[in-house]
Amino acid sequence: MAQREIVVAVRPDAPSVPRAHHHQVWWVISIGVAAAAAAWLRLPAIARDTLWAEDGRDFLQAALDLGPINSLVAPYAGYLHTFPRIVASLTVELVPVQYYAIAMSAGACILAGIMASIVFVCSADVLPWMPARVITAMLTVMAPLAPREVLGNEANLHSLVLWTLFWIVIYRPRTKRGGLWLGVFALLGSLTEIQAVLLLPLMLWRLRDTARWIPRAGIVLGAALQILVTLLWPRGGSGNAPLGAASIGLGFFINSVLPIWIPQKSIGPAVVWGGIVLCLVLFLPFVVALVVSLKFGSNTQRIAAAGLFVGAIVVYCLSVIENPQTFYDYAQFSPDEMADVWLARYGVVPSMLLCALAVLAIAIVVGRIKLRPSRSTIPRLAAYGAAVALVVLLVVQFVPQDTRRSGGPAWQPQILALRDVCASLPGSSTVDVAETIGWHVAVPCSLLQRSGE
C-alpha cells in the first residue's frame, strides 16, 4: 500500500528536518542512554571502583608513562587497542587520580551505550519490526554472561565492538554523512578488535553497492593495520596444550547457549544433571530460528541469519583455539569439577549472536502475520510469546551479578591511604596501586599529592 506523503510546515528560517528524522534521533538517544545505564547498573558497586586486568597495568599505565597521545598507538598482545587507550588517555588527562577506576568503568559503559545505538540504527535493514530492533540493540549490554568479564571495563570492550561491526557490515547507510560516521567508528573499532578480520568474507555480499563502501573501508583499513601490527609485534603463545574437539564443542554449549537459559551459578550443576542432551535441547530453538529465517526471510535476512549462526560458532571456537587453558578442557572434567565449572568470556558474543538470531526469526514471523492477519492466531501467539520469553530471560538476569571484580580491590580507598605514604617519600617516588589478578599500577607520588590538595 502506497504511503501518503507527509508535509511538515516550518518557519522560513528553521532547518528543514523531517519529523521522522526527529523521531529516529530520539530513539537512538534513548537506546544509548538506556544501554549505558543498564551496563552500569548490572555491575556491583565495588566492581565499578575496581580496575580489571589490562585497564590498569597496561592502558592507564601507558597513558601515565608515555603520555595520552603516544600511548594511543602502543601495541599490546599482538594488536592495537584504540578505544581502551582513548578512554585511558581521557581519564588521565581529565579525571582526578582517586576516580580513575570509576572513570574507566563509566567510559566502558558509555561506549557500550553508543554501540547499542549503532546496532539499533544498523539493524533496520534486517529487523523492520521496532520491538525487535530495540531488543537486539539492548543485547549489547543485556547478554546474561556479560557482567562477569565484559561489561564496564576496557580490557574486553573489544567483544562488544565485534558485535557492533557485524551490524555495520549488514547495513546500507541512508546518507553519506551517516556512512562517514559509521566509517569512523568502523575504523576505530577494527583498530580495537583484531577479530574484525572475521567479517571480511561477509563484505563480499553486495560488494558493488557504493553506499556500503565507506564503513566497510574503515573495517578493511583497520584490519590491515592490525595484521601489520601483529606481524611486527607478534603475540606470544600461551604455552598450553591445544584443546580437543570435544572440549571445544562442549565449551560452546556451556558458555554460549546455557547462559541464555540458566543463571551462571547454576550452569555447572545443570550440565552435571543433563549432560550433552540438555545442551542440545537448549540449542535446538536457535536451530529452529535459523531454519525459519532461511526459509521465510528476505535475502538480507537470510544473509544476516547465516552470519549470526555461523559467527556464534566460529567466534567461540577460534577464541579458545587461540587461547587454550586447562579450565576450558571441559570434556576432561569430573562431575565435581563440572559442578564448579569455569565460564569463559568467549561465550558472550556468541550468546548475543544466537539471541539476535532468535529475535530475527520472531520478526520474520511477525512480518508474515501482518501480511495475512486473518490466518495468524497461532503464529501470532507463538511469535509474541517467544519475544516475551526472551525478554523475560534477559531481564531475570539483569540484576548486578558476580563478576571477576566483585572482590575488589577498590581503587579509591587505596589512593586515600597511599597519599599518607607518599607524604614521607621523595616527590619523584611512585607507589603501587593494586588491581585484580595480582596486577598493579605504578602511580607517581607527585600525582597523588597534587590531587589531594
Side-chain angles (χ1 to χ4, degrees):
M1 182 174 64
Q3 294 182 342
R4 293 180 297 171
E5 181 179 2
I6 299 176
V7 179
V8 181
V10 296
R11 301 189 314 272
D13 58 338
S16 178
V17 181
R19 188 172 298 171
H21 177 71
H22 284 302
H23 181 70
Q24 172 83 348
V25 168
W26 279 112
W27 267 110
V28 171
I29 294 173
S30 299
I31 290 292
V33 172
W40 180 261
L41 293 173
R42 295 194 72 193
L43 300 172
I46 190 173
R48 301 172 195 151
D49 191 37
T50 300
L51 291 173
W52 171 244
E54 289 86 355
D55 281 16
R57 188 196 68 176
D58 296 287
F59 302 143
L60 273 177
Q61 193 71 69
L64 289 169
D65 296 346
L66 303 177
I69 302 301
N70 291 337
S71 65
L72 295 178
V73 295
Y76 167 73
Y79 65 102
L80 299 172
H81 304 256
T82 301
F83 277 137
R85 293 201 183 277
I86 289 174
V87 176
S89 293
L90 291 174
T91 297
V92 167
E93 283 294 291
L94 303 177
V95 179
V97 64
Q98 65 264 34
Y99 301 122
Y100 276 7
I102 290 287
M104 292 291 282
S105 297
C109 291
I110 291 170
L111 281 171
I114 292 172
M115 286 186 270
S117 292
I118 292 174
V119 172
F120 175 78
V121 171
C122 293
S123 60
D125 288 349
V126 179
L127 302 168
W129 188 40
M130 181 62 75
R133 289 176 64 190
V134 173
I135 295 171
T136 300
M138 291 303 293
L139 281 172
T140 307
V141 296
M142 292 294 289
L145 199 58
R148 177 174 166 82
E149 250 185 283
V150 171
L151 287 184
N153 69 76
E154 275 66 36
N156 296 319
L157 186 71
H158 61 89
S159 297
L160 304 185
V161 172
L162 180 62
W163 153 261
T164 307
L165 291 177
F166 170 85
W167 292 103
I168 290 177
V169 171
I170 294 292
Y171 181 62
R172 187 181 193 274
R174 305 300 192 258
T175 64
K176 289 184 178 179
R177 179 181 296 181
L180 285 171
W181 280 114
L182 289 177
V184 170
F185 179 89
L187 175 60
L188 295 176
S190 56
L191 289 175
T192 299
E193 172 57 290
I194 194 171
Q195 290 186 102
V197 298
L198 299 176
L199 298 171
L200 296 181
L202 189 57
M203 295 185 200
L204 298 176
W205 175 65
R206 296 190 174 172
L207 182 61
R208 297 181 181 180
D209 187 348
T210 57
R212 303 174 188 268
W213 284 3
I214 293 178
R216 293 183 177 188
I219 296 176
V220 171
L221 177 58
L225 291 173
Q226 290 281 32
I227 292 172
L228 177 62
V229 168
T230 202
L231 290 175
L232 295 176
W233 294 276
R235 179 180 184 176
S238 67
N240 296 318
L243 300 174
S247 288
I248 295 173
L250 184 57
F252 169 75
F253 292 122
I254 290 173
N255 294 287
S256 305
V257 179
L258 269 60
I260 299 170
W261 304 93
I262 303 171
Q264 59 174 289
K265 291 184 178 180
S266 301
I267 289 175
V271 176
V272 173
W273 173 77
I276 191 64
V277 174
L278 175 67
C279 295
L280 293 173
V281 168
L282 295 182
F283 184 55
L284 181 60
F286 303 106
V287 176
V288 173
L290 175 66
V291 173
V292 169
S293 300
L294 295 179
K295 182 174 178 61
F296 300 110
S298 65
N299 288 336
T300 299
Q301 289 170 328
R302 291 188 183 107
I303 289 293
L308 291 167
F309 188 83
V310 174
I313 297 172
V314 169
V315 168
Y316 177 81
C317 293
L318 287 183
S319 296
V320 294
I321 289 172
E322 180 66 19
N323 303 279
Q325 299 286 347
T326 55
F327 40 83
Y328 300 152
D329 200 1
Y330 300 103
Q332 306 303 318
F333 283 9
S334 67
D336 288 341
E337 291 172 324
M338 186 64 77
D340 193 29
V341 69
W342 180 270
L343 300 174
R345 62 181 171 84
Y346 304 126
V348 172
V349 172
S351 70
M352 294 160 69
L353 296 172
L354 291 175
C355 286
L357 176 60
V359 174
L360 172 56
I362 293 168
I364 290 171
V365 173
V366 169
R368 291 177 65 85
I369 288 171
K370 291 180 178 179
L371 294 176
R372 295 182 177 182
S374 62
R375 304 179 181 178
S376 58
T377 302
I378 294 178
R380 181 188 291 113
L381 292 175
Y384 294 159
V388 170
L390 179 58
V391 170
V392 168
L393 284 172
L394 297 176
V395 171
V396 163
Q397 299 199 57
F398 173 84
V399 295
Q401 296 189 27
D402 182 45
T403 76
R404 295 197 63 192
R405 293 183 283 165
S406 294
W411 180 268
Q412 291 189 62
Q414 295 183 80
I415 295 299
L416 295 176
L418 288 171
R419 280 183 183 149
D420 295 334
V421 174
C422 281
S424 62
L425 297 174
S428 59
S429 302
T430 62
V431 290
D432 290 343
V433 187
E435 57 163 324
T436 44
I437 58 177
W439 295 359
H440 67 270
V441 184
V443 178
C445 279
S446 57
L447 182 60
L448 287 173
Q449 293 168 338
R450 188 165 62 248
S451 67
E453 295 175 356

